[in-house]
Amino acid sequence: MLLEIKNLHVRAGDTQILKGVNLNVEAGEIHAIMGPNGSGKSTLANVVAGHPAYEVTEGTVRYDGDDLLELDTDERARDGVFLAFQYPVEIPGVSNSQLMRQAYNERRKARGEDELDPLQFDDYVREKVKVVDMDPDFLDRSVNVDFSGGEKKRNEILQMAVLEPRLALLDETDSGLDIDALRVVSNGINQLAGDDNAVVLVTHYQRILDYVEPDKVHAMVDGEIVQSGGKELAMELEERGYDWVAKQKGAAQ
Amino acid sequence: MSTAEETRETMARHPFVARFIDQGRARRTSGQPQWWADLRTGALQKLVGLDVPGRKDEEWRFINLSSLVERDWSPQEDATFEPTADQLEEWRVPEASSTTLVFANGRYIPELSTVADLPEGARVTTWSELRDAGELDVIADYVDIADYWEDDVFYNLNSANFEDGLVVVVDRNVVVEQPIHVLHVADGTAGDYAAHPRNVIVTGESAEVTVIEEYATAEDGVYFHNVVDEVTVAPNSKVRHVKVQQDSTDAFHVARNQITIGADANYESTAVNIGAGLSRNDSYALFDGRNIECTLDGLGFVSGSQVTDTHTALDHDYPDANSYQLQKNIVDDRAHAVFNGKIFVQQDSQRIDSNQLNQNLLLSKRGRVDTKPQLEIFADDVVCSHGATVGQLEESHLFYLMARGVERDRAKALLTYAFAAEVLEDIVVDTLRERLEAHIMEQTTS
C-alpha cells in the first residue's frame, strides 16, 4: 500500500475539519476526491503534505508502510510526496529554475544519486518544460511572480514533472483553467502516472476526469469520505450534487 | 579666548574631538599645496566649536555614539599593518586585476597595488602619489566643494586629519572599461587606530567609470574608519559606485559621501553595509543640472548587536530629473538598522520623478528597525513616491519551499538571499556580486 489513511481526525485551531477519513491508495492508481467547498478535501491533501496549520488529533497516515506523520514537510517531499498547491505562492527573488534544481537535487540526494550541476539540470528541465507547453523564459523568472492563474498551475505541474514524485496530491489544480490549460495539466498528470506511483486529484469539478481516467472516485462531505466508487460516481455527483450521498450516509448510520 | 584656551575647553567638553585636533595639528605639512593646508587649518578651527552629536540631535536620534566617542583613538600611523598578497586573495576582484589599489590600516601599499592597462586620459592614483609627484592640483577643484557638510563633526575630523585615499580622474570622452577596485584592509589587533580615507572621483564630460570601494577585515579588532568620498560627475558622464563595507564587527565605520552631478549625467551607487559594530553611511547628492539620473541603492545586513544607519539626501536643484532609491535592511538577533531618506525638490525644479523605497526584513524578535522618509518639495509638477515596510519571512513561503524538499534552515537562507538579491543584482561586476550573494547565503545558513 502506498498511502494508507485510517480514521484521520484533523483540527485547525478550534475547528474540527476531518472527522475520521479512511483512504487506501495503491501504487499505479489514480484517485479523485470530490466534494463541496468546506468538505475538508483540501485539508486532507495538505495534512498528507505536512502543513503546519493542521493538528492531527486521531488516526494514522502510513506512506509505503512508514508513519508519515512522524516526518517533517521537507522529509516527506524528499521521500516522494508532492503537493500541487491550490494557490501557489509568489516568491520574489528566487528563480523558478533555482527552486527546481534545489528541490530536484534534494530528491536525488535522498535517493542516493549524484546532484546535477546547473548545466546538467538545464538540459533536464528543458525537456520537462515541453510537457507543460511553457515558454522556457519562465525558468529564469521569480517563482510564480506575475504569473497568470493558469501559468501558476502549469508551473506546479512542471515542478511535479521535474520531481517525479511517488505520491502526487493535486489540490484543485484543475480549478479556473481554460480547456487548453486543462489539457496541458491533464497531459502532465498522465505522463507522470505509472505503475510505481499514484495520483490523488482533489477536485471540485468532474471535467478533468474526461482527460484523466480515475481508478477510484471518493465523495467527501463534512470531513468524511461518504461514498467511494468508479468514474460513474463522479458523473452522478456532478448531476445530483452531494446532498444525496450525505443523506445515504446518514441513513446507513 | 586664545586658541589654547578654546582647545582646553573643547578638551574638557569633548576629548574625542580634542584628541583629533591635537593629531591634526601634529600632522606634517610638507608637500601640501596651499589649498590642502587651508582645508586642514579651516577644519581644525571649525572643530574647536563643534559638538559631538547626541541623541537629542534629530540626525542622530536613533543611535548611540558613546562607544565611539568615549574611546581614545590613536592615529593610523601608530597601528601599521603589512598584509601579504595571500591575505588579500579572498577580496581580489578578477575584473579589476589591473586596477586594484590596496590600503592597509589606512596606509597605501603600492607593492600590493596594480594600476595598468588604463586608457589614455584616465588617472587612477592616490593622494600620496600625487603629493610626491607635485601634481595634487589636478583635484584642487573637486575637494571640499559642498556646504552640506560644513558643520558635520566627522567630515571635519576627516578634513583635519586625512593623509591619503583613492584618486580617480577620468578625462573627457574617456571610458574606463575595467572596474577600479580600492581595497581597504584592516588588522584590528594593531591598536585602536582611526583612519580617515579621502576618496576623490572625478569624471570629465561624457566619460564613464566604475569604482568598487571596499572595506575588509584581515583580523578582527577595534578601529575607526572615518571616510569622506567626493564624487564629481561631469555633464553627460556616468559613474557606477559600489561600496562594500565589511569592517570588523568590533570596529566603527562612518562615511560622508558627497556626490555632485552635472546635466545629463548618470550616477548609480550600491552601498552594502555588512560589517562594523556601528556603521553610519550618509550620502548627499546634489543635482547640479538638468536631465539627471541618480540611483542610490543600499543593503544592510546586521546581526548580533550591530547597528547600521543609512542617511541619504537627494537635492533636486534643476528640472527634469529621475532618482531611484531602494534601501533594504536585514536585521537578525539584537541588531538595529536605521534609514533616513531625504528628498529635496527646490522651487522651479519641475518634472522630477523620485522613487524611494525602504524594505526591512526582521529575522528575530529582538531586532529593531527605524525608518524615516523626509520629503521637502517646493515645486508643483513632481512625482515623489516613498514607502517603508518592515516584515518577517512568510510562513507560506517557507512551507512552499519545504513542500519541495528544501530544509527549513535552507529555505530561510534562500528567502533571505532572495530579499537581498534585488539590490545585489544591479552590481555589474559579476565576481563581486556572486561573492556577496554567496556571503548572504552563508551568513543566513550558519
mmCIF file of all heavy atoms in Angstrom, chain A residues 51 73-74 77-78 82-83 85 89-94 98-99 102-103 106 144 156 159, chain B residues 395-408 410 414-415 417-419 421-422 441:
data_model
loop_
_atom_site.group_PDB
_atom_site.id
_atom_site.type_symbol
_atom_site.label_atom_id
_atom_site.label_comp_id
_atom_site.label_asym_id
_atom_site.label_seq_id
_atom_site.Cartn_x
_atom_site.Cartn_y
_atom_site.Cartn_z
ATOM 1 N N HIS A 51 1.293 20.261 6.223
ATOM 2 C CA HIS A 51 1.072 21.682 6.501
ATOM 3 C C HIS A 51 0.997 21.920 8.013
ATOM 4 O O HIS A 51 0.244 21.250 8.712
ATOM 5 C CB HIS A 51 -0.213 22.162 5.830
ATOM 6 C CG HIS A 51 -0.273 23.661 5.741
ATOM 7 N ND1 HIS A 51 -0.451 24.455 6.848
ATOM 8 C CD2 HIS A 51 -0.147 24.497 4.688
ATOM 9 C CE1 HIS A 51 -0.436 25.722 6.480
ATOM 10 N NE2 HIS A 51 -0.249 25.778 5.176
ATOM 11 N N THR A 73 7.719 18.258 6.791
ATOM 12 C CA THR A 73 7.259 18.531 5.428
ATOM 13 C C THR A 73 8.349 18.240 4.390
ATOM 14 O O THR A 73 8.105 17.595 3.371
ATOM 15 C CB THR A 73 6.860 20.019 5.322
ATOM 16 O OG1 THR A 73 5.861 20.272 6.296
ATOM 17 C CG2 THR A 73 6.326 20.353 3.950
ATOM 18 N N ASP A 74 9.558 18.752 4.665
ATOM 19 C CA ASP A 74 10.626 18.608 3.673
ATOM 20 C C ASP A 74 11.071 17.153 3.537
ATOM 21 O O ASP A 74 11.431 16.707 2.459
ATOM 22 C CB ASP A 74 11.802 19.525 4.010
ATOM 23 C CG ASP A 74 12.295 19.354 5.432
ATOM 24 O OD1 ASP A 74 11.458 19.313 6.349
ATOM 25 O OD2 ASP A 74 13.520 19.259 5.623
ATOM 26 N N ALA A 77 8.650 15.416 1.306
ATOM 27 C CA ALA A 77 8.872 15.778 -0.098
ATOM 28 C C ALA A 77 10.055 14.997 -0.671
ATOM 29 O O ALA A 77 10.003 14.504 -1.791
ATOM 30 C CB ALA A 77 9.119 17.286 -0.208
ATOM 31 N N ARG A 78 11.106 14.888 0.136
ATOM 32 C CA ARG A 78 12.290 14.169 -0.357
ATOM 33 C C ARG A 78 12.008 12.679 -0.535
ATOM 34 O O ARG A 78 12.627 12.019 -1.345
ATOM 35 C CB ARG A 78 13.474 14.389 0.591
ATOM 36 C CG ARG A 78 14.003 15.823 0.551
ATOM 37 C CD ARG A 78 15.389 15.927 1.160
ATOM 38 N NE ARG A 78 15.373 15.695 2.603
ATOM 39 C CZ ARG A 78 15.131 16.638 3.521
ATOM 40 N NH1 ARG A 78 14.893 17.882 3.139
ATOM 41 N NH2 ARG A 78 15.144 16.357 4.806
ATOM 42 N N PHE A 82 4.376 14.785 -3.120
ATOM 43 C CA PHE A 82 4.328 16.084 -3.793
ATOM 44 C C PHE A 82 2.928 16.674 -3.675
ATOM 45 O O PHE A 82 1.942 16.001 -3.917
ATOM 46 C CB PHE A 82 4.679 15.922 -5.272
ATOM 47 C CG PHE A 82 4.622 17.212 -6.048
ATOM 48 C CD1 PHE A 82 5.739 18.038 -6.125
ATOM 49 C CD2 PHE A 82 3.444 17.606 -6.697
ATOM 50 C CE1 PHE A 82 5.681 19.235 -6.836
ATOM 51 C CE2 PHE A 82 3.387 18.810 -7.396
ATOM 52 C CZ PHE A 82 4.509 19.615 -7.470
ATOM 53 N N LEU A 83 2.875 17.948 -3.303
ATOM 54 C CA LEU A 83 1.591 18.662 -3.259
ATOM 55 C C LEU A 83 1.613 19.769 -4.312
ATOM 56 O O LEU A 83 2.459 20.653 -4.267
ATOM 57 C CB LEU A 83 1.380 19.288 -1.868
ATOM 58 C CG LEU A 83 0.162 20.212 -1.735
ATOM 59 C CD1 LEU A 83 -1.151 19.440 -1.866
ATOM 60 C CD2 LEU A 83 0.193 20.969 -0.392
ATOM 61 N N PHE A 85 -0.070 22.995 -5.224
ATOM 62 C CA PHE A 85 -0.845 23.908 -4.385
ATOM 63 C C PHE A 85 -2.069 24.454 -5.103
ATOM 64 O O PHE A 85 -2.032 24.750 -6.290
ATOM 65 C CB PHE A 85 0.027 25.098 -3.953
ATOM 66 C CG PHE A 85 0.992 24.771 -2.853
ATOM 67 C CD1 PHE A 85 2.005 23.847 -3.050
ATOM 68 C CD2 PHE A 85 0.900 25.383 -1.613
ATOM 69 C CE1 PHE A 85 2.903 23.542 -2.045
ATOM 70 C CE2 PHE A 85 1.789 25.097 -0.593
ATOM 71 C CZ PHE A 85 2.793 24.169 -0.815
ATOM 72 N N VAL A 89 2.239 30.127 -4.068
ATOM 73 C CA VAL A 89 2.676 31.443 -3.589
ATOM 74 C C VAL A 89 3.719 32.042 -4.531
ATOM 75 O O VAL A 89 4.420 31.336 -5.242
ATOM 76 C CB VAL A 89 3.278 31.381 -2.161
ATOM 77 C CG1 VAL A 89 2.227 30.976 -1.157
ATOM 78 C CG2 VAL A 89 4.474 30.455 -2.096
ATOM 79 N N GLU A 90 3.789 33.359 -4.515
ATOM 80 C CA GLU A 90 4.798 34.068 -5.302
ATOM 81 C C GLU A 90 6.017 34.301 -4.423
ATOM 82 O O GLU A 90 5.890 34.761 -3.298
ATOM 83 C CB GLU A 90 4.240 35.421 -5.775
ATOM 84 C CG GLU A 90 3.007 35.269 -6.648
ATOM 85 C CD GLU A 90 2.524 36.595 -7.212
ATOM 86 O OE1 GLU A 90 3.183 37.625 -6.970
ATOM 87 O OE2 GLU A 90 1.480 36.585 -7.897
ATOM 88 N N ILE A 91 7.193 33.985 -4.952
ATOM 89 C CA ILE A 91 8.408 34.178 -4.170
ATOM 90 C C ILE A 91 9.386 35.048 -4.948
ATOM 91 O O ILE A 91 10.181 34.552 -5.743
ATOM 92 C CB ILE A 91 9.062 32.831 -3.794
ATOM 93 C CG1 ILE A 91 8.016 31.895 -3.174
ATOM 94 C CG2 ILE A 91 10.213 33.064 -2.829
ATOM 95 C CD1 ILE A 91 8.571 30.575 -2.712
ATOM 96 N N PRO A 92 9.334 36.352 -4.732
ATOM 97 C CA PRO A 92 10.230 37.252 -5.467
ATOM 98 C C PRO A 92 11.687 36.952 -5.126
ATOM 99 O O PRO A 92 12.016 36.694 -3.965
ATOM 100 C CB PRO A 92 9.852 38.648 -4.956
ATOM 101 C CG PRO A 92 8.601 38.492 -4.175
ATOM 102 C CD PRO A 92 8.496 37.064 -3.759
ATOM 103 N N GLY A 93 12.525 36.959 -6.128
ATOM 104 C CA GLY A 93 13.963 36.814 -5.897
ATOM 105 C C GLY A 93 14.483 35.392 -5.985
ATOM 106 O O GLY A 93 15.674 35.180 -6.082
ATOM 107 N N VAL A 94 13.580 34.410 -5.915
ATOM 108 C CA VAL A 94 14.009 33.022 -6.100
ATOM 109 C C VAL A 94 13.539 32.594 -7.491
ATOM 110 O O VAL A 94 12.348 32.608 -7.771
ATOM 111 C CB VAL A 94 13.392 32.086 -5.042
ATOM 112 C CG1 VAL A 94 13.794 30.637 -5.298
ATOM 113 C CG2 VAL A 94 13.802 32.514 -3.644
ATOM 114 N N GLN A 98 16.114 27.889 -10.089
ATOM 115 C CA GLN A 98 16.870 27.760 -8.843
ATOM 116 C C GLN A 98 16.106 26.875 -7.848
ATOM 117 O O GLN A 98 16.664 25.959 -7.251
ATOM 118 C CB GLN A 98 17.034 29.171 -8.278
ATOM 119 C CG GLN A 98 18.030 29.342 -7.172
ATOM 120 C CD GLN A 98 18.060 30.812 -6.719
ATOM 121 O OE1 GLN A 98 17.194 31.621 -7.074
ATOM 122 N NE2 GLN A 98 19.062 31.160 -5.945
ATOM 123 N N LEU A 99 14.820 27.146 -7.699
ATOM 124 C CA LEU A 99 13.995 26.352 -6.788
ATOM 125 C C LEU A 99 13.942 24.901 -7.247
ATOM 126 O O LEU A 99 14.123 23.974 -6.459
ATOM 127 C CB LEU A 99 12.578 26.934 -6.708
ATOM 128 C CG LEU A 99 11.548 26.014 -6.037
ATOM 129 C CD1 LEU A 99 11.900 25.746 -4.588
ATOM 130 C CD2 LEU A 99 10.149 26.596 -6.125
ATOM 131 N N GLN A 102 17.254 23.029 -6.813
ATOM 132 C CA GLN A 102 17.443 22.722 -5.392
ATOM 133 C C GLN A 102 16.555 21.545 -4.981
ATOM 134 O O GLN A 102 17.002 20.593 -4.351
ATOM 135 C CB GLN A 102 17.086 23.961 -4.577
ATOM 136 C CG GLN A 102 17.103 23.747 -3.090
ATOM 137 C CD GLN A 102 18.334 24.356 -2.452
ATOM 138 O OE1 GLN A 102 18.845 25.370 -2.910
ATOM 139 N NE2 GLN A 102 18.830 23.722 -1.426
ATOM 140 N N ALA A 103 15.274 21.628 -5.361
ATOM 141 C CA ALA A 103 14.310 20.599 -4.978
ATOM 142 C C ALA A 103 14.682 19.249 -5.603
ATOM 143 O O ALA A 103 14.651 18.210 -4.943
ATOM 144 C CB ALA A 103 12.908 21.025 -5.417
ATOM 145 N N GLU A 106 17.723 17.745 -3.945
ATOM 146 C CA GLU A 106 17.376 17.191 -2.637
ATOM 147 C C GLU A 106 16.782 15.790 -2.810
ATOM 148 O O GLU A 106 17.086 14.872 -2.062
ATOM 149 C CB GLU A 106 16.350 18.087 -1.909
ATOM 150 C CG GLU A 106 16.838 19.478 -1.547
ATOM 151 C CD GLU A 106 17.834 19.496 -0.395
ATOM 152 O OE1 GLU A 106 18.093 18.431 0.186
ATOM 153 O OE2 GLU A 106 18.371 20.589 -0.105
ATOM 154 N N ASN A 144 6.524 32.088 -9.660
ATOM 155 C CA ASN A 144 5.109 32.499 -9.733
ATOM 156 C C ASN A 144 4.860 34.006 -9.749
ATOM 157 O O ASN A 144 3.701 34.432 -9.791
ATOM 158 C CB ASN A 144 4.293 31.877 -8.575
ATOM 159 C CG ASN A 144 4.215 30.367 -8.692
ATOM 160 O OD1 ASN A 144 4.134 29.836 -9.800
ATOM 161 N ND2 ASN A 144 4.254 29.685 -7.566
ATOM 162 N N GLU A 156 3.098 24.387 -11.352
ATOM 163 C CA GLU A 156 3.024 23.312 -10.367
ATOM 164 C C GLU A 156 3.218 21.955 -11.054
ATOM 165 O O GLU A 156 3.911 21.075 -10.539
ATOM 166 C CB GLU A 156 1.662 23.335 -9.643
ATOM 167 C CG GLU A 156 1.432 24.566 -8.767
ATOM 168 C CD GLU A 156 2.356 24.623 -7.571
ATOM 169 O OE1 GLU A 156 2.192 23.813 -6.652
ATOM 170 O OE2 GLU A 156 3.253 25.478 -7.578
ATOM 171 N N GLN A 159 6.805 21.445 -11.939
ATOM 172 C CA GLN A 159 7.586 21.008 -10.777
ATOM 173 C C GLN A 159 7.342 19.530 -10.491
ATOM 174 O O GLN A 159 8.267 18.781 -10.153
ATOM 175 C CB GLN A 159 7.228 21.855 -9.545
ATOM 176 C CG GLN A 159 7.666 23.304 -9.698
ATOM 177 C CD GLN A 159 7.301 24.147 -8.492
ATOM 178 O OE1 GLN A 159 7.222 23.647 -7.386
ATOM 179 N NE2 GLN A 159 7.078 25.422 -8.711
ATOM 180 N N GLU B 395 5.566 32.497 6.498
ATOM 181 C CA GLU B 395 5.407 31.060 6.720
ATOM 182 C C GLU B 395 4.935 30.353 5.454
ATOM 183 O O GLU B 395 5.345 29.232 5.172
ATOM 184 C CB GLU B 395 4.417 30.796 7.865
ATOM 185 C CG GLU B 395 5.037 30.866 9.252
ATOM 186 C CD GLU B 395 6.191 29.888 9.478
ATOM 187 O OE1 GLU B 395 6.139 28.753 8.958
ATOM 188 O OE2 GLU B 395 7.161 30.260 10.174
ATOM 189 N N SER B 396 4.071 31.024 4.693
ATOM 190 C CA SER B 396 3.554 30.367 3.482
ATOM 191 C C SER B 396 4.678 30.124 2.471
ATOM 192 O O SER B 396 4.686 29.125 1.758
ATOM 193 C CB SER B 396 2.447 31.209 2.847
ATOM 194 O OG SER B 396 2.967 32.442 2.388
ATOM 195 N N HIS B 397 5.666 31.043 2.444
ATOM 196 C CA HIS B 397 6.812 30.850 1.555
ATOM 197 C C HIS B 397 7.678 29.689 2.046
ATOM 198 O O HIS B 397 8.137 28.861 1.255
ATOM 199 C CB HIS B 397 7.654 32.126 1.485
ATOM 200 C CG HIS B 397 6.980 33.237 0.749
ATOM 201 N ND1 HIS B 397 7.532 34.484 0.630
ATOM 202 C CD2 HIS B 397 5.809 33.285 0.089
ATOM 203 C CE1 HIS B 397 6.720 35.256 -0.078
ATOM 204 N NE2 HIS B 397 5.670 34.549 -0.404
ATOM 205 N N LEU B 398 7.885 29.657 3.360
ATOM 206 C CA LEU B 398 8.688 28.571 3.929
ATOM 207 C C LEU B 398 8.040 27.215 3.656
ATOM 208 O O LEU B 398 8.702 26.257 3.277
ATOM 209 C CB LEU B 398 8.858 28.771 5.440
ATOM 210 C CG LEU B 398 9.858 29.842 5.861
ATOM 211 C CD1 LEU B 398 9.769 30.088 7.364
ATOM 212 C CD2 LEU B 398 11.276 29.427 5.493
ATOM 213 N N PHE B 399 6.708 27.162 3.838
ATOM 214 C CA PHE B 399 6.015 25.885 3.624
ATOM 215 C C PHE B 399 6.120 25.460 2.157
ATOM 216 O O PHE B 399 6.340 24.285 1.856
ATOM 217 C CB PHE B 399 4.542 25.985 4.042
ATOM 218 C CG PHE B 399 3.768 24.716 3.777
ATOM 219 C CD1 PHE B 399 4.121 23.530 4.414
ATOM 220 C CD2 PHE B 399 2.715 24.699 2.880
ATOM 221 C CE1 PHE B 399 3.432 22.347 4.158
ATOM 222 C CE2 PHE B 399 2.027 23.516 2.615
ATOM 223 C CZ PHE B 399 2.381 22.348 3.259
ATOM 224 N N TYR B 400 5.997 26.406 1.273
ATOM 225 C CA TYR B 400 6.083 26.083 -0.155
ATOM 226 C C TYR B 400 7.438 25.462 -0.486
ATOM 227 O O TYR B 400 7.527 24.427 -1.151
ATOM 228 C CB TYR B 400 5.865 27.347 -0.985
ATOM 229 C CG TYR B 400 5.680 27.110 -2.463
ATOM 230 C CD1 TYR B 400 4.427 26.791 -2.988
ATOM 231 C CD2 TYR B 400 6.741 27.206 -3.355
ATOM 232 C CE1 TYR B 400 4.245 26.576 -4.342
ATOM 233 C CE2 TYR B 400 6.569 26.993 -4.711
ATOM 234 C CZ TYR B 400 5.314 26.685 -5.202
ATOM 235 O OH TYR B 400 5.137 26.471 -6.549
ATOM 236 N N LEU B 401 8.500 26.088 0.011
ATOM 237 C CA LEU B 401 9.838 25.564 -0.269
ATOM 238 C C LEU B 401 10.055 24.213 0.401
ATOM 239 O O LEU B 401 10.636 23.296 -0.179
ATOM 240 C CB LEU B 401 10.913 26.552 0.199
ATOM 241 C CG LEU B 401 10.951 27.887 -0.554
ATOM 242 C CD1 LEU B 401 12.000 28.808 0.051
ATOM 243 C CD2 LEU B 401 11.247 27.676 -2.027
ATOM 244 N N MET B 402 9.555 24.068 1.631
ATOM 245 C CA MET B 402 9.716 22.791 2.332
ATOM 246 C C MET B 402 8.917 21.692 1.646
ATOM 247 O O MET B 402 9.355 20.535 1.593
ATOM 248 C CB MET B 402 9.296 22.937 3.795
ATOM 249 C CG MET B 402 10.288 23.764 4.611
ATOM 250 S SD MET B 402 9.692 24.079 6.277
ATOM 251 C CE MET B 402 9.895 22.445 7.006
ATOM 252 N N ALA B 403 7.781 22.061 1.088
ATOM 253 C CA ALA B 403 6.973 21.070 0.372
ATOM 254 C C ALA B 403 7.654 20.630 -0.925
ATOM 255 O O ALA B 403 7.206 19.704 -1.591
ATOM 256 C CB ALA B 403 5.580 21.636 0.067
ATOM 257 N N ARG B 404 8.738 21.327 -1.277
ATOM 258 C CA ARG B 404 9.529 20.912 -2.432
ATOM 259 C C ARG B 404 10.822 20.219 -1.973
ATOM 260 O O ARG B 404 11.736 20.013 -2.765
ATOM 261 C CB ARG B 404 9.865 22.120 -3.320
ATOM 262 C CG ARG B 404 8.645 22.791 -3.940
ATOM 263 C CD ARG B 404 7.929 21.863 -4.928
ATOM 264 N NE ARG B 404 6.686 22.449 -5.417
ATOM 265 C CZ ARG B 404 5.487 22.074 -4.993
ATOM 266 N NH1 ARG B 404 5.349 21.129 -4.084
ATOM 267 N NH2 ARG B 404 4.398 22.626 -5.490
ATOM 268 N N GLY B 405 10.922 19.947 -0.676
ATOM 269 C CA GLY B 405 12.053 19.160 -0.185
ATOM 270 C C GLY B 405 13.201 19.968 0.386
ATOM 271 O O GLY B 405 14.232 19.420 0.746
ATOM 272 N N VAL B 406 13.020 21.292 0.478
ATOM 273 C CA VAL B 406 14.103 22.139 0.980
ATOM 274 C C VAL B 406 13.994 22.218 2.511
ATOM 275 O O VAL B 406 12.926 22.529 3.038
ATOM 276 C CB VAL B 406 14.013 23.548 0.369
ATOM 277 C CG1 VAL B 406 15.179 24.406 0.830
ATOM 278 C CG2 VAL B 406 13.969 23.466 -1.158
ATOM 279 N N GLU B 407 15.098 21.950 3.205
ATOM 280 C CA GLU B 407 15.077 22.007 4.670
ATOM 281 C C GLU B 407 14.749 23.409 5.154
ATOM 282 O O GLU B 407 15.070 24.389 4.499
ATOM 283 C CB GLU B 407 16.440 21.599 5.239
ATOM 284 C CG GLU B 407 16.690 20.116 5.178
ATOM 285 C CD GLU B 407 18.088 19.760 5.636
ATOM 286 O OE1 GLU B 407 18.625 20.485 6.497
ATOM 287 O OE2 GLU B 407 18.632 18.778 5.111
ATOM 288 N N ARG B 408 14.179 23.470 6.352
ATOM 289 C CA ARG B 408 13.708 24.755 6.866
ATOM 290 C C ARG B 408 14.810 25.816 6.909
ATOM 291 O O ARG B 408 14.628 26.934 6.441
ATOM 292 C CB ARG B 408 13.112 24.558 8.265
ATOM 293 C CG ARG B 408 12.361 25.780 8.749
ATOM 294 C CD ARG B 408 11.690 25.540 10.096
ATOM 295 N NE ARG B 408 11.068 26.785 10.520
ATOM 296 C CZ ARG B 408 9.835 27.152 10.173
ATOM 297 N NH1 ARG B 408 9.097 26.381 9.431
ATOM 298 N NH2 ARG B 408 9.345 28.314 10.575
ATOM 299 N N ARG B 410 17.568 25.972 5.274
ATOM 300 C CA ARG B 410 17.986 26.281 3.909
ATOM 301 C C ARG B 410 16.929 27.170 3.223
ATOM 302 O O ARG B 410 17.262 28.095 2.489
ATOM 303 C CB ARG B 410 18.166 24.953 3.165
ATOM 304 C CG ARG B 410 18.563 25.066 1.749
ATOM 305 C CD ARG B 410 20.064 25.262 1.602
ATOM 306 N NE ARG B 410 20.373 25.541 0.208
ATOM 307 C CZ ARG B 410 21.481 26.104 -0.213
ATOM 308 N NH1 ARG B 410 22.416 26.443 0.657
ATOM 309 N NH2 ARG B 410 21.684 26.326 -1.476
ATOM 310 N N LEU B 414 17.462 30.824 1.675
ATOM 311 C CA LEU B 414 17.101 31.105 0.284
ATOM 312 C C LEU B 414 16.197 32.339 0.204
ATOM 313 O O LEU B 414 16.373 33.212 -0.656
ATOM 314 C CB LEU B 414 16.397 29.874 -0.300
ATOM 315 C CG LEU B 414 16.261 29.760 -1.805
ATOM 316 C CD1 LEU B 414 17.633 29.746 -2.469
ATOM 317 C CD2 LEU B 414 15.512 28.469 -2.171
ATOM 318 N N LEU B 415 15.254 32.440 1.134
ATOM 319 C CA LEU B 415 14.328 33.577 1.115
ATOM 320 C C LEU B 415 15.028 34.868 1.537
ATOM 321 O O LEU B 415 14.727 35.945 1.024
ATOM 322 C CB LEU B 415 13.130 33.293 2.030
ATOM 323 C CG LEU B 415 12.203 32.175 1.546
ATOM 324 C CD1 LEU B 415 11.170 31.835 2.612
ATOM 325 C CD2 LEU B 415 11.511 32.569 0.243
ATOM 326 N N TYR B 417 18.236 35.472 1.107
ATOM 327 C CA TYR B 417 19.049 35.787 -0.057
ATOM 328 C C TYR B 417 18.196 36.469 -1.135
ATOM 329 O O TYR B 417 18.602 37.464 -1.742
ATOM 330 C CB TYR B 417 19.683 34.493 -0.587
ATOM 331 C CG TYR B 417 20.038 34.510 -2.032
ATOM 332 C CD1 TYR B 417 21.248 35.052 -2.472
ATOM 333 C CD2 TYR B 417 19.160 33.995 -2.977
ATOM 334 C CE1 TYR B 417 21.554 35.074 -3.803
ATOM 335 C CE2 TYR B 417 19.459 34.021 -4.315
ATOM 336 C CZ TYR B 417 20.655 34.561 -4.730
ATOM 337 O OH TYR B 417 20.950 34.599 -6.045
ATOM 338 N N ALA B 418 16.996 35.916 -1.327
ATOM 339 C CA ALA B 418 16.111 36.470 -2.351
ATOM 340 C C ALA B 418 15.746 37.924 -2.040
ATOM 341 O O ALA B 418 15.660 38.767 -2.929
ATOM 342 C CB ALA B 418 14.842 35.626 -2.460
ATOM 343 N N PHE B 419 15.567 38.200 -0.760
ATOM 344 C CA PHE B 419 15.255 39.572 -0.336
ATOM 345 C C PHE B 419 16.407 40.513 -0.701
ATOM 346 O O PHE B 419 16.196 41.618 -1.201
ATOM 347 C CB PHE B 419 15.014 39.575 1.178
ATOM 348 C CG PHE B 419 14.744 40.926 1.774
ATOM 349 C CD1 PHE B 419 13.472 41.484 1.714
ATOM 350 C CD2 PHE B 419 15.757 41.645 2.393
ATOM 351 C CE1 PHE B 419 13.215 42.729 2.269
ATOM 352 C CE2 PHE B 419 15.516 42.892 2.941
ATOM 353 C CZ PHE B 419 14.239 43.435 2.879
ATOM 354 N N ALA B 421 18.724 39.925 -2.953
ATOM 355 C CA ALA B 421 19.148 39.820 -4.356
ATOM 356 C C ALA B 421 18.703 41.011 -5.193
ATOM 357 O O ALA B 421 19.418 41.434 -6.109
ATOM 358 C CB ALA B 421 18.626 38.526 -4.956
ATOM 359 N N GLU B 422 17.579 41.578 -4.860
ATOM 360 C CA GLU B 422 17.054 42.684 -5.668
ATOM 361 C C GLU B 422 18.006 43.877 -5.664
ATOM 362 O O GLU B 422 18.080 44.627 -6.634
ATOM 363 C CB GLU B 422 15.672 43.102 -5.147
ATOM 364 C CG GLU B 422 14.890 43.904 -6.148
ATOM 365 C CD GLU B 422 13.573 44.430 -5.589
ATOM 366 O OE1 GLU B 422 13.131 43.976 -4.509
ATOM 367 O OE2 GLU B 422 12.988 45.312 -6.223
ATOM 368 N N MET B 441 24.055 34.048 1.680
ATOM 369 C CA MET B 441 23.567 32.683 1.861
ATOM 370 C C MET B 441 24.263 32.024 3.051
ATOM 371 O O MET B 441 23.617 31.422 3.920
ATOM 372 C CB MET B 441 23.858 31.845 0.608
ATOM 373 C CG MET B 441 22.860 32.021 -0.496
ATOM 374 S SD MET B 441 21.267 31.306 -0.085
ATOM 375 C CE MET B 441 21.253 29.902 -1.163
#
